[in-house]
Amino acid sequence: MTDEPRTDEPALEVLPAEVAARLDAPTRAVLTDPGWRRLHPVTPVLRAWKVVAAVLAVVVGQNVDNIVRLDLPGWILTLSIVGGILLLAIVGAGYSALAWRKTRYRIDAEAVHVEHGILWRQQRRAQLDRLQAVDVVRPLLGRLFGLAELRLEVAGGSGSKVSLAYLKEEEAQRVRNALLAASAGVVVAEGEDAPEAPQREVVEVPPTRLLLSTLRSGLTIWMVLVLVGLGVGCWFAQSLTPLFGSFAAVLGVVSTVWQRFSRGFNFTVADSPDGLRLSHGLLEQRSQTVPPGRVQALRITQPLLWRSAGWWRVEVNVAGYSGESGSASEQSTTLLPVGTVEELGLVLAIVLPDLGTGEESPLEVVRAGLTGTGTDGGFTPVPRAARWLDPVSWRRRGYRVTEHAFLSRNGRLVRGLDVVPHARTQSLGVAQGPLQRRLGLASVVLHSTPGRVKPRVDHLDPATAARLLTEQSLRSRAARAGSGPERWMTT
C-alpha cells in the first residue's frame, strides 16, 4: 500500500500551470455571490410523475376490489382510468410548478442557502467548512433532458442533506467544482469558474465480477431457497396459492438483489486533489466526491462464499451520510462493492495513506487483520474465556493499535476488519453484560459517526479493556489536536 501512482495512469501532479497554482493556493476561497437562482424549468415535469405514480399506487391498491365489483364495460372502465391518470397528472404538474417557483438557491463564500415551501417556507444553510461529500445524481428520466441532481452531504446528522434538483449537467458540475474549491480553500478570481481537479482512476469493478459476487451473496442464496420451498409447497398443495401469498416478499428480495447489482454497476474509484471520487450506477448514475479526511471509520468484510475468489467489500462511515438508512445508506457508504486484495490496498492507500505501522508493510498488517488469528500481525487476542460466548470466532477476535489508527478484527464465517483513525474517534466506552461479568470479560466500544460501521472489541479481559480505554482516549485527543484544517488546502 503506497502513495505512488500506477505506471499505467498519469500522475496527478501533471497539471497545467495555472490550474495547479489555483489548486495549491494557500489562502481562502473567494466565491462571487450571483444572488438567488432557480432550478431548471423542466424540474416540475420530472417531479410530477412521482406524485402521479405514488397517488395512483395508493388509490388502486386500496380500491382494487371495488373497481372489479363495478362490472362496467371495458371501454368505460378504460376511459375512467385514463381520465383519472390525466387528472392526477394535471394536479401533480400544477403542484410541482408552484413548488418550483417557490424554490431558489444561492451560493456564497461561506455557505449554500436554499429556500423552499408553499404553505410553510423553509430556509436551509449548509456551511461549506462542514461539507462532507458532494454527489451528482443522474436519474434515468433526468438524463433524457440532460439534467442532474446535486446533493450536498453536510455534517449534522439526520436532515442535514441539501438537494438541488434539477440542474443542467454542466451547471451541476460547475457548482460542484465551486463548492469543493471553496470548501478546500482554493482561490477563485472574481468572474472565473473554479477549475475541475484532475483524477486518476485506481479501481474499476468489472460487471462480470459484480454479477458473480451478487449471485454468491447470502441474500441470493436465501432467495433461491425460498423459491424452491414455495415450489415444493405448490406441488404438495396442487395449487399456486402459496406462491401468490408470498409474492410480495419474493418481489422484495428480488428487488433488493437487483438494486445491489444496478447500483454497483460500472463502479470506479478514482483519486483526485479534491478527494475520493466514486462513480457507479446502471439506471441511476451517481458520482460521489468525498473530500480528504471525511472518512470516519472503515469496515472490510468477506462473506463465506467469497472466500475462494479472494473478494472483499469495503464500507465507510461519513458524517454527511449518517442520516440515511437501508439501501440508501448501503449505496452511499460503499467504498468498494467487491474487490481483490490488491485493489483493496490501492483504495486504502487513498483513504488511509499512512496507518503508522513503521517499517512494517501496511498491507501485511491489514492482511493479518483480514485472515489471521491469535497474535498474527501483532494483534492482541481475546482470552480463552471468550470461547464460551463466541465458540466459532473467538480466536479471530482481537485488536491492534498503530500510530495513526485502531484496528479491530472479528468474524470467522463472515470475516471483518474495522479501521478507525485516532483523529476520528469521537468517544469510547466499556460495556459488560451479565454473562461477561460472570466470565470476567468486557467490551470496548469506539463511537464513530453513526453509520454501518460500528467498531468495537468484544470479550476482553477487564483490566485490558480499562487500559485500552485510557490509552485510546489519550491517542484520540492528541490526534485531533494535530489534525489539519477543515479547509484542507488552507495553511
Side-chain angles (χ1 to χ4, degrees):
M1 198 166 31
T2 64
D3 294 329
E4 297 180 0
R6 288 162 47 183
T7 56
D8 57 340
E9 298 285 351
L12 290 179
E13 290 76 9
V14 182
L15 305 173
E18 64 275 11
V19 175
R22 282 183 283 177
L23 288 173
D24 296 333
T27 55
R28 292 184 60 184
V30 177
L31 281 181
T32 302
D33 184 0
W36 291 101
R37 306 187 65 178
R38 295 193 185 277
L39 303 175
H40 195 275
V42 181
T43 297
V45 178
L46 298 181
R47 287 181 171 174
W49 78 267
K50 296 182 180 180
V51 177
V52 174
V55 175
L56 190 63
V58 172
V59 172
V60 174
Q62 293 181 349
N63 299 278
V64 62
D65 293 336
N66 296 330
I67 295 175
V68 174
R69 292 195 191 100
L70 289 177
D71 195 23
L72 296 174
W75 65 274
I76 296 180
L77 185 61
T78 301
L79 287 178
S80 300
I81 294 176
V82 173
I85 293 176
L86 289 177
L87 180 61
L88 287 174
I90 294 174
V91 173
Y95 178 84
S96 299
L98 185 59
W100 170 77
R101 289 188 59 85
K102 296 295 184 179
T103 302
R104 60 180 185 171
Y105 72 96
R106 180 168 63 95
I107 303 174
D108 57 31
E110 298 295 332
V112 178
H113 309 264
V114 180
E115 290 186 357
H116 61 93
I118 300 176
L119 299 179
W120 291 274
R121 296 291 293 168
Q122 299 182 18
Q123 295 184 358
R124 300 288 303 278
R125 186 175 189 270
Q127 287 289 131
L128 295 183
D129 58 1
R130 296 179 63 81
L131 190 67
Q132 299 293 312
V134 180
D135 299 350
V136 178
V137 182
R138 303 175 182 86
L140 180 60
L141 188 58
R143 296 209 308 270
L144 298 179
F145 294 91
L147 302 180
E149 176 186 1
L150 193 67
R151 296 179 185 174
L152 314 179
E153 310 290 347
V154 184
S158 179
S160 61
K161 180 173 68 176
V162 175
S163 173
L164 300 178
Y166 293 89
L167 306 172
K168 289 289 292 183
E169 289 192 14
E170 298 80 6
E171 184 179 2
Q173 291 291 344
R174 181 184 60 80
V175 174
R176 166 194 167 278
N177 297 339
L179 292 175
L180 289 172
S183 180
V186 176
V187 169
V188 179
E190 183 174 352
E192 293 187 7
D193 291 336
E196 181 175 1
Q199 69 177 32
R200 173 174 58 90
E201 186 175 299
V202 176
V203 175
E204 180 178 0
V205 179
T208 304
R209 185 199 301 169
L210 179 65
L211 177 61
L212 292 176
S213 66
T214 304
L215 295 177
R216 295 172 71 168
S217 66
L219 188 62
T220 305
I221 300 301
W222 278 111
M223 182 182 67
V224 173
L225 292 177
V226 169
L227 291 177
V228 172
L230 289 175
V232 173
C234 292
W235 184 80
F236 277 106
Q238 297 297 312
S239 171
L240 296 178
T241 302
L243 180 61
F244 289 126
S246 306
F247 180 76
V250 173
L251 184 62
V253 175
V254 173
S255 175
T256 302
V257 174
W258 163 252
Q259 287 181 1
R260 181 170 295 183
F261 173 79
S262 176
R263 290 173 174 173
F265 186 82
N266 198 27
F267 200 103
T268 59
V269 181
D271 189 14
S272 172
D274 59 16
L276 181 71
R277 292 187 179 179
L278 309 175
S279 177
H280 51 91
L282 179 59
L283 300 180
E284 180 182 270
Q285 297 177 354
R286 185 169 184 172
S287 300
Q288 299 174 251
T289 303
V290 182
R294 288 339 193 234
V295 174
Q296 309 292 317
L298 179 145
R299 178 167 177 77
I300 309 169
T301 55
Q302 183 187 60
L304 180 63
L305 298 178
W306 287 11
R307 194 169 300 178
S308 60
W311 294 334
W312 299 88
R313 180 182 181 86
V314 184
E315 296 175 297
V316 295
N317 282 356
V318 177
Y321 298 129
S322 60
E324 298 182 348
S325 60
S327 59
S329 175
E330 180 179 352
Q331 179 187 22
S332 301
T333 60
T334 298
L335 192 61
L336 184 63
V338 53
T340 63
V341 173
E342 292 74 17
E343 293 171 342
L344 176 62
L346 294 172
V347 171
L348 289 180
I350 302 174
V351 181
L352 299 172
D354 184 8
L355 283 178
T357 57
E359 297 182 357
E360 292 183 84
S361 169
L363 185 55
E364 291 304 317
V365 174
V366 171
R367 283 178 183 269
L370 297 176
T371 61
T373 59
T375 59
D376 293 347
F379 277 73
T380 300
V382 300
R384 288 182 59 84
R387 71 185 186 279
W388 299 108
L389 297 178
D390 189 6
V392 176
S393 59
W394 71 274
R395 292 183 182 276
R396 277 271 305 154
R397 293 193 180 276
Y399 71 91
R400 174 169 177 176
V401 180
T402 67
E403 183 180 354
H404 297 147
F406 180 91
L407 294 83
S408 173
R409 184 180 65 192
N410 56 75
R412 185 173 293 275
L413 297 180
V414 179
R415 293 171 173 170
L417 176 67
D418 297 336
V419 183
V420 185
H422 296 322
R424 302 303 170 188
T425 302
Q426 299 188 358
S427 62
L428 299 102
V430 175
Q432 191 178 49
L435 294 179
Q436 286 183 318
R437 286 197 299 270
R438 186 173 183 84
L439 295 172
L441 301 174
S443 300
V444 174
V445 182
L446 283 75
H447 300 135
S448 173
T449 296
R452 299 177 65 86
V453 184
K454 305 182 186 301
R456 59 186 295 142
V457 186
D458 288 320
H459 314 322
L460 289 171
D461 177 82
T464 303
R467 183 175 65 253
L468 177 61
L469 180 70
T470 302
E471 295 175 352
Q472 192 62 21
S473 299
L474 297 175
R475 294 189 191 98
S476 301
R477 186 184 309 161
R480 285 194 298 270
S483 59
E486 286 294 330
R487 302 198 175 203
W488 62 93
M489 288 188 182
T490 304
T491 303

PDB file of all heavy atoms in Angstrom, residues 273-300:
ATOM      1  N   PRO A 273      -7.151  15.540  -6.237  1.00  0.00           N
ATOM      2  CA  PRO A 273      -6.792  16.501  -5.192  1.00  0.00           C
ATOM      3  C   PRO A 273      -7.967  16.952  -4.339  1.00  0.00           C
ATOM      4  O   PRO A 273      -7.781  17.352  -3.193  1.00  0.00           O
ATOM      5  CB  PRO A 273      -6.208  17.682  -5.987  1.00  0.00           C
ATOM      6  CG  PRO A 273      -5.703  17.070  -7.243  1.00  0.00           C
ATOM      7  CD  PRO A 273      -6.659  15.966  -7.556  1.00  0.00           C
ATOM      8  N   ASP A 274      -9.201  16.905  -4.880  1.00  0.00           N
ATOM      9  CA  ASP A 274     -10.348  17.318  -4.076  1.00  0.00           C
ATOM     10  C   ASP A 274     -10.990  16.158  -3.335  1.00  0.00           C
ATOM     11  O   ASP A 274     -12.048  16.315  -2.734  1.00  0.00           O
ATOM     12  CB  ASP A 274     -11.391  18.063  -4.919  1.00  0.00           C
ATOM     13  CG  ASP A 274     -11.921  17.221  -6.074  1.00  0.00           C
ATOM     14  OD1 ASP A 274     -11.739  15.991  -6.058  1.00  0.00           O
ATOM     15  OD2 ASP A 274     -12.534  17.790  -6.985  1.00  0.00           O
ATOM     16  N   GLY A 275     -10.364  14.982  -3.346  1.00  0.00           N
ATOM     17  CA  GLY A 275     -10.847  13.883  -2.531  1.00  0.00           C
ATOM     18  C   GLY A 275     -11.015  12.586  -3.296  1.00  0.00           C
ATOM     19  O   GLY A 275     -10.523  12.415  -4.415  1.00  0.00           O
ATOM     20  N   LEU A 276     -11.733  11.681  -2.678  1.00  0.00           N
ATOM     21  CA  LEU A 276     -12.007  10.373  -3.249  1.00  0.00           C
ATOM     22  C   LEU A 276     -13.239  10.464  -4.137  1.00  0.00           C
ATOM     23  O   LEU A 276     -14.280  10.983  -3.732  1.00  0.00           O
ATOM     24  CB  LEU A 276     -12.248   9.363  -2.117  1.00  0.00           C
ATOM     25  CG  LEU A 276     -12.527   7.924  -2.517  1.00  0.00           C
ATOM     26  CD1 LEU A 276     -11.269   7.261  -3.061  1.00  0.00           C
ATOM     27  CD2 LEU A 276     -13.054   7.152  -1.324  1.00  0.00           C
ATOM     28  N   ARG A 277     -13.125   9.972  -5.354  1.00  0.00           N
ATOM     29  CA  ARG A 277     -14.234  10.033  -6.299  1.00  0.00           C
ATOM     30  C   ARG A 277     -14.747   8.636  -6.611  1.00  0.00           C
ATOM     31  O   ARG A 277     -13.978   7.746  -6.963  1.00  0.00           O
ATOM     32  CB  ARG A 277     -13.807  10.730  -7.594  1.00  0.00           C
ATOM     33  CG  ARG A 277     -13.516  12.214  -7.427  1.00  0.00           C
ATOM     34  CD  ARG A 277     -13.268  12.866  -8.760  1.00  0.00           C
ATOM     35  NE  ARG A 277     -12.999  14.304  -8.629  1.00  0.00           N
ATOM     36  CZ  ARG A 277     -12.738  15.104  -9.659  1.00  0.00           C
ATOM     37  NH1 ARG A 277     -12.697  14.607 -10.881  1.00  0.00           N
ATOM     38  NH2 ARG A 277     -12.510  16.390  -9.457  1.00  0.00           N
ATOM     39  N   LEU A 278     -16.060   8.460  -6.467  1.00  0.00           N
ATOM     40  CA  LEU A 278     -16.728   7.196  -6.757  1.00  0.00           C
ATOM     41  C   LEU A 278     -17.764   7.438  -7.845  1.00  0.00           C
ATOM     42  O   LEU A 278     -18.502   8.426  -7.794  1.00  0.00           O
ATOM     43  CB  LEU A 278     -17.404   6.633  -5.508  1.00  0.00           C
ATOM     44  CG  LEU A 278     -16.554   6.521  -4.248  1.00  0.00           C
ATOM     45  CD1 LEU A 278     -17.407   6.051  -3.076  1.00  0.00           C
ATOM     46  CD2 LEU A 278     -15.381   5.576  -4.460  1.00  0.00           C
ATOM     47  N   SER A 279     -17.839   6.528  -8.802  1.00  0.00           N
ATOM     48  CA  SER A 279     -18.812   6.630  -9.874  1.00  0.00           C
ATOM     49  C   SER A 279     -19.431   5.256 -10.100  1.00  0.00           C
ATOM     50  O   SER A 279     -18.710   4.257 -10.193  1.00  0.00           O
ATOM     51  CB  SER A 279     -18.147   7.136 -11.160  1.00  0.00           C
ATOM     52  OG  SER A 279     -19.080   7.177 -12.224  1.00  0.00           O
ATOM     53  N   HIS A 280     -20.760   5.195 -10.161  1.00  0.00           N
ATOM     54  CA  HIS A 280     -21.423   3.904 -10.313  1.00  0.00           C
ATOM     55  C   HIS A 280     -22.882   4.107 -10.690  1.00  0.00           C
ATOM     56  O   HIS A 280     -23.427   5.217 -10.575  1.00  0.00           O
ATOM     57  CB  HIS A 280     -21.330   3.100  -9.015  1.00  0.00           C
ATOM     58  CG  HIS A 280     -21.785   3.862  -7.802  1.00  0.00           C
ATOM     59  ND1 HIS A 280     -23.071   3.850  -7.337  1.00  0.00           N
ATOM     60  CD2 HIS A 280     -21.107   4.696  -6.974  1.00  0.00           C
ATOM     61  CE1 HIS A 280     -23.174   4.613  -6.263  1.00  0.00           C
ATOM     62  NE2 HIS A 280     -21.994   5.150  -6.021  1.00  0.00           N
ATOM     63  N   GLY A 281     -23.533   3.030 -11.132  1.00  0.00           N
ATOM     64  CA  GLY A 281     -24.961   3.065 -11.430  1.00  0.00           C
ATOM     65  C   GLY A 281     -25.282   2.620 -12.834  1.00  0.00           C
ATOM     66  O   GLY A 281     -24.569   2.948 -13.786  1.00  0.00           O
ATOM     67  N   LEU A 282     -26.370   1.851 -12.975  1.00  0.00           N
ATOM     68  CA  LEU A 282     -26.838   1.394 -14.278  1.00  0.00           C
ATOM     69  C   LEU A 282     -27.982   2.286 -14.762  1.00  0.00           C
ATOM     70  O   LEU A 282     -27.860   2.963 -15.783  1.00  0.00           O
ATOM     71  CB  LEU A 282     -27.295  -0.062 -14.200  1.00  0.00           C
ATOM     72  CG  LEU A 282     -27.845  -0.678 -15.485  1.00  0.00           C
ATOM     73  CD1 LEU A 282     -26.802  -0.642 -16.587  1.00  0.00           C
ATOM     74  CD2 LEU A 282     -28.322  -2.104 -15.233  1.00  0.00           C
ATOM     75  N   LEU A 283     -29.091   2.293 -14.052  1.00  0.00           N
ATOM     76  CA  LEU A 283     -30.216   3.145 -14.415  1.00  0.00           C
ATOM     77  C   LEU A 283     -30.026   4.558 -13.865  1.00  0.00           C
ATOM     78  O   LEU A 283     -30.186   5.535 -14.588  1.00  0.00           O
ATOM     79  CB  LEU A 283     -31.526   2.536 -13.894  1.00  0.00           C
ATOM     80  CG  LEU A 283     -31.870   1.140 -14.430  1.00  0.00           C
ATOM     81  CD1 LEU A 283     -33.182   0.658 -13.846  1.00  0.00           C
ATOM     82  CD2 LEU A 283     -31.910   1.126 -15.939  1.00  0.00           C
ATOM     83  N   GLU A 284     -29.705   4.648 -12.579  1.00  0.00           N
ATOM     84  CA  GLU A 284     -29.416   5.935 -11.957  1.00  0.00           C
ATOM     85  C   GLU A 284     -27.920   6.039 -11.733  1.00  0.00           C
ATOM     86  O   GLU A 284     -27.359   5.295 -10.940  1.00  0.00           O
ATOM     87  CB  GLU A 284     -30.161   6.079 -10.626  1.00  0.00           C
ATOM     88  CG  GLU A 284     -29.896   7.405  -9.929  1.00  0.00           C
ATOM     89  CD  GLU A 284     -30.599   7.520  -8.587  1.00  0.00           C
ATOM     90  OE1 GLU A 284     -31.753   7.999  -8.552  1.00  0.00           O
ATOM     91  OE2 GLU A 284     -29.987   7.106  -7.582  1.00  0.00           O
ATOM     92  N   GLN A 285     -27.285   6.945 -12.452  1.00  0.00           N
ATOM     93  CA  GLN A 285     -25.841   7.120 -12.340  1.00  0.00           C
ATOM     94  C   GLN A 285     -25.517   8.120 -11.237  1.00  0.00           C
ATOM     95  O   GLN A 285     -26.169   9.159 -11.128  1.00  0.00           O
ATOM     96  CB  GLN A 285     -25.259   7.588 -13.669  1.00  0.00           C
ATOM     97  CG  GLN A 285     -25.446   6.584 -14.791  1.00  0.00           C
ATOM     98  CD  GLN A 285     -24.922   7.083 -16.116  1.00  0.00           C
ATOM     99  OE1 GLN A 285     -24.513   8.234 -16.250  1.00  0.00           O
ATOM    100  NE2 GLN A 285     -24.920   6.209 -17.113  1.00  0.00           N
ATOM    101  N   ARG A 286     -24.515   7.783 -10.447  1.00  0.00           N
ATOM    102  CA  ARG A 286     -24.165   8.625  -9.304  1.00  0.00           C
ATOM    103  C   ARG A 286     -22.656   8.833  -9.264  1.00  0.00           C
ATOM    104  O   ARG A 286     -21.887   7.876  -9.371  1.00  0.00           O
ATOM    105  CB  ARG A 286     -24.640   7.968  -8.012  1.00  0.00           C
ATOM    106  CG  ARG A 286     -24.437   8.813  -6.757  1.00  0.00           C
ATOM    107  CD  ARG A 286     -25.189   8.195  -5.597  1.00  0.00           C
ATOM    108  NE  ARG A 286     -25.116   9.012  -4.389  1.00  0.00           N
ATOM    109  CZ  ARG A 286     -25.806   8.770  -3.291  1.00  0.00           C
ATOM    110  NH1 ARG A 286     -26.639   7.743  -3.247  1.00  0.00           N
ATOM    111  NH2 ARG A 286     -25.687   9.553  -2.236  1.00  0.00           N
ATOM    112  N   SER A 287     -22.246  10.096  -9.106  1.00  0.00           N
ATOM    113  CA  SER A 287     -20.837  10.449  -8.955  1.00  0.00           C
ATOM    114  C   SER A 287     -20.656  11.086  -7.586  1.00  0.00           C
ATOM    115  O   SER A 287     -21.235  12.141  -7.311  1.00  0.00           O
ATOM    116  CB  SER A 287     -20.394  11.417 -10.059  1.00  0.00           C
ATOM    117  OG  SER A 287     -20.569  10.839 -11.339  1.00  0.00           O
ATOM    118  N   GLN A 288     -19.881  10.449  -6.728  1.00  0.00           N
ATOM    119  CA  GLN A 288     -19.661  10.931  -5.369  1.00  0.00           C
ATOM    120  C   GLN A 288     -18.240  11.480  -5.233  1.00  0.00           C
ATOM    121  O   GLN A 288     -17.299  10.929  -5.806  1.00  0.00           O
ATOM    122  CB  GLN A 288     -19.856   9.803  -4.351  1.00  0.00           C
ATOM    123  CG  GLN A 288     -21.238   9.188  -4.343  1.00  0.00           C
ATOM    124  CD  GLN A 288     -21.316   7.995  -3.419  1.00  0.00           C
ATOM    125  OE1 GLN A 288     -21.423   6.861  -3.861  1.00  0.00           O
ATOM    126  NE2 GLN A 288     -21.255   8.244  -2.119  1.00  0.00           N
ATOM    127  N   THR A 289     -18.109  12.529  -4.466  1.00  0.00           N
ATOM    128  CA  THR A 289     -16.800  13.088  -4.135  1.00  0.00           C
ATOM    129  C   THR A 289     -16.730  13.275  -2.629  1.00  0.00           C
ATOM    130  O   THR A 289     -17.504  14.051  -2.065  1.00  0.00           O
ATOM    131  CB  THR A 289     -16.557  14.440  -4.829  1.00  0.00           C
ATOM    132  OG1 THR A 289     -16.699  14.278  -6.243  1.00  0.00           O
ATOM    133  CG2 THR A 289     -15.154  14.941  -4.524  1.00  0.00           C
ATOM    134  N   VAL A 290     -15.841  12.540  -1.993  1.00  0.00           N
ATOM    135  CA  VAL A 290     -15.650  12.624  -0.543  1.00  0.00           C
ATOM    136  C   VAL A 290     -14.324  13.328  -0.295  1.00  0.00           C
ATOM    137  O   VAL A 290     -13.265  12.785  -0.606  1.00  0.00           O
ATOM    138  CB  VAL A 290     -15.644  11.232   0.106  1.00  0.00           C
ATOM    139  CG1 VAL A 290     -15.484  11.337   1.617  1.00  0.00           C
ATOM    140  CG2 VAL A 290     -16.924  10.477  -0.235  1.00  0.00           C
ATOM    141  N   PRO A 291     -14.333  14.560   0.236  1.00  0.00           N
ATOM    142  CA  PRO A 291     -13.081  15.299   0.465  1.00  0.00           C
ATOM    143  C   PRO A 291     -12.154  14.564   1.421  1.00  0.00           C
ATOM    144  O   PRO A 291     -12.588  13.698   2.200  1.00  0.00           O
ATOM    145  CB  PRO A 291     -13.566  16.634   1.067  1.00  0.00           C
ATOM    146  CG  PRO A 291     -14.969  16.774   0.597  1.00  0.00           C
ATOM    147  CD  PRO A 291     -15.510  15.377   0.561  1.00  0.00           C
ATOM    148  N   PRO A 292     -10.865  14.884   1.405  1.00  0.00           N
ATOM    149  CA  PRO A 292      -9.892  14.208   2.281  1.00  0.00           C
ATOM    150  C   PRO A 292     -10.256  14.375   3.754  1.00  0.00           C
ATOM    151  O   PRO A 292     -10.727  15.420   4.190  1.00  0.00           O
ATOM    152  CB  PRO A 292      -8.570  14.930   1.960  1.00  0.00           C
ATOM    153  CG  PRO A 292      -8.773  15.499   0.594  1.00  0.00           C
ATOM    154  CD  PRO A 292     -10.217  15.857   0.502  1.00  0.00           C
ATOM    155  N   GLY A 293     -10.043  13.299   4.508  1.00  0.00           N
ATOM    156  CA  GLY A 293     -10.260  13.335   5.944  1.00  0.00           C
ATOM    157  C   GLY A 293     -11.693  13.192   6.379  1.00  0.00           C
ATOM    158  O   GLY A 293     -11.986  13.257   7.571  1.00  0.00           O
ATOM    159  N   ARG A 294     -12.636  12.994   5.437  1.00  0.00           N
ATOM    160  CA  ARG A 294     -14.049  12.895   5.814  1.00  0.00           C
ATOM    161  C   ARG A 294     -14.453  11.469   6.185  1.00  0.00           C
ATOM    162  O   ARG A 294     -15.537  11.265   6.727  1.00  0.00           O
ATOM    163  CB  ARG A 294     -14.945  13.369   4.678  1.00  0.00           C
ATOM    164  CG  ARG A 294     -15.011  14.861   4.367  1.00  0.00           C
ATOM    165  CD  ARG A 294     -14.593  15.792   5.440  1.00  0.00           C
ATOM    166  NE  ARG A 294     -14.983  17.166   5.148  1.00  0.00           N
ATOM    167  CZ  ARG A 294     -14.153  18.190   5.137  1.00  0.00           C
ATOM    168  NH1 ARG A 294     -12.873  17.997   5.378  1.00  0.00           N
ATOM    169  NH2 ARG A 294     -14.586  19.415   4.909  1.00  0.00           N
ATOM    170  N   VAL A 295     -13.650  10.477   5.868  1.00  0.00           N
ATOM    171  CA  VAL A 295     -13.964   9.095   6.237  1.00  0.00           C
ATOM    172  C   VAL A 295     -13.704   8.915   7.730  1.00  0.00           C
ATOM    173  O   VAL A 295     -12.584   9.072   8.203  1.00  0.00           O
ATOM    174  CB  VAL A 295     -13.125   8.098   5.408  1.00  0.00           C
ATOM    175  CG1 VAL A 295     -13.349   6.681   5.902  1.00  0.00           C
ATOM    176  CG2 VAL A 295     -13.488   8.204   3.930  1.00  0.00           C
ATOM    177  N   GLN A 296     -14.760   8.597   8.470  1.00  0.00           N
ATOM    178  CA  GLN A 296     -14.670   8.498   9.926  1.00  0.00           C
ATOM    179  C   GLN A 296     -14.285   7.096  10.394  1.00  0.00           C
ATOM    180  O   GLN A 296     -13.638   6.937  11.430  1.00  0.00           O
ATOM    181  CB  GLN A 296     -16.014   8.870  10.555  1.00  0.00           C
ATOM    182  CG  GLN A 296     -16.577  10.192  10.060  1.00  0.00           C
ATOM    183  CD  GLN A 296     -15.768  11.381  10.518  1.00  0.00           C
ATOM    184  OE1 GLN A 296     -15.360  11.461  11.666  1.00  0.00           O
ATOM    185  NE2 GLN A 296     -15.523  12.322   9.608  1.00  0.00           N
ATOM    186  N   ALA A 297     -14.710   6.079   9.683  1.00  0.00           N
ATOM    187  CA  ALA A 297     -14.397   4.689  10.034  1.00  0.00           C
ATOM    188  C   ALA A 297     -14.567   3.840   8.789  1.00  0.00           C
ATOM    189  O   ALA A 297     -15.267   4.221   7.841  1.00  0.00           O
ATOM    190  CB  ALA A 297     -15.302   4.187  11.163  1.00  0.00           C
ATOM    191  N   LEU A 298     -13.925   2.685   8.798  1.00  0.00           N
ATOM    192  CA  LEU A 298     -13.900   1.829   7.611  1.00  0.00           C
ATOM    193  C   LEU A 298     -14.048   0.374   8.038  1.00  0.00           C
ATOM    194  O   LEU A 298     -13.473  -0.044   9.048  1.00  0.00           O
ATOM    195  CB  LEU A 298     -12.588   2.053   6.859  1.00  0.00           C
ATOM    196  CG  LEU A 298     -12.295   1.278   5.600  1.00  0.00           C
ATOM    197  CD1 LEU A 298     -11.524   2.157   4.619  1.00  0.00           C
ATOM    198  CD2 LEU A 298     -11.452   0.035   5.919  1.00  0.00           C
ATOM    199  N   ARG A 299     -14.821  -0.384   7.274  1.00  0.00           N
ATOM    200  CA  ARG A 299     -15.011  -1.804   7.573  1.00  0.00           C
ATOM    201  C   ARG A 299     -14.793  -2.628   6.313  1.00  0.00           C
ATOM    202  O   ARG A 299     -15.368  -2.338   5.251  1.00  0.00           O
ATOM    203  CB  ARG A 299     -16.403  -2.064   8.127  1.00  0.00           C
ATOM    204  CG  ARG A 299     -16.670  -3.544   8.425  1.00  0.00           C
ATOM    205  CD  ARG A 299     -17.919  -3.742   9.256  1.00  0.00           C
ATOM    206  NE  ARG A 299     -18.236  -5.139   9.488  1.00  0.00           N
ATOM    207  CZ  ARG A 299     -17.626  -5.930  10.361  1.00  0.00           C
ATOM    208  NH1 ARG A 299     -16.623  -5.460  11.087  1.00  0.00           N
ATOM    209  NH2 ARG A 299     -17.986  -7.185  10.505  1.00  0.00           N
ATOM    210  N   ILE A 300     -13.975  -3.670   6.422  1.00  0.00           N
ATOM    211  CA  ILE A 300     -13.694  -4.599   5.333  1.00  0.00           C
ATOM    212  C   ILE A 300     -14.290  -5.940   5.704  1.00  0.00           C
ATOM    213  O   ILE A 300     -14.040  -6.466   6.798  1.00  0.00           O
ATOM    214  CB  ILE A 300     -12.176  -4.746   5.110  1.00  0.00           C
ATOM    215  CG1 ILE A 300     -11.523  -3.371   4.973  1.00  0.00           C
ATOM    216  CG2 ILE A 300     -11.886  -5.591   3.885  1.00  0.00           C
ATOM    217  CD1 ILE A 300     -10.011  -3.416   5.027  1.00  0.00           C
TER     218      ILE A 300
END
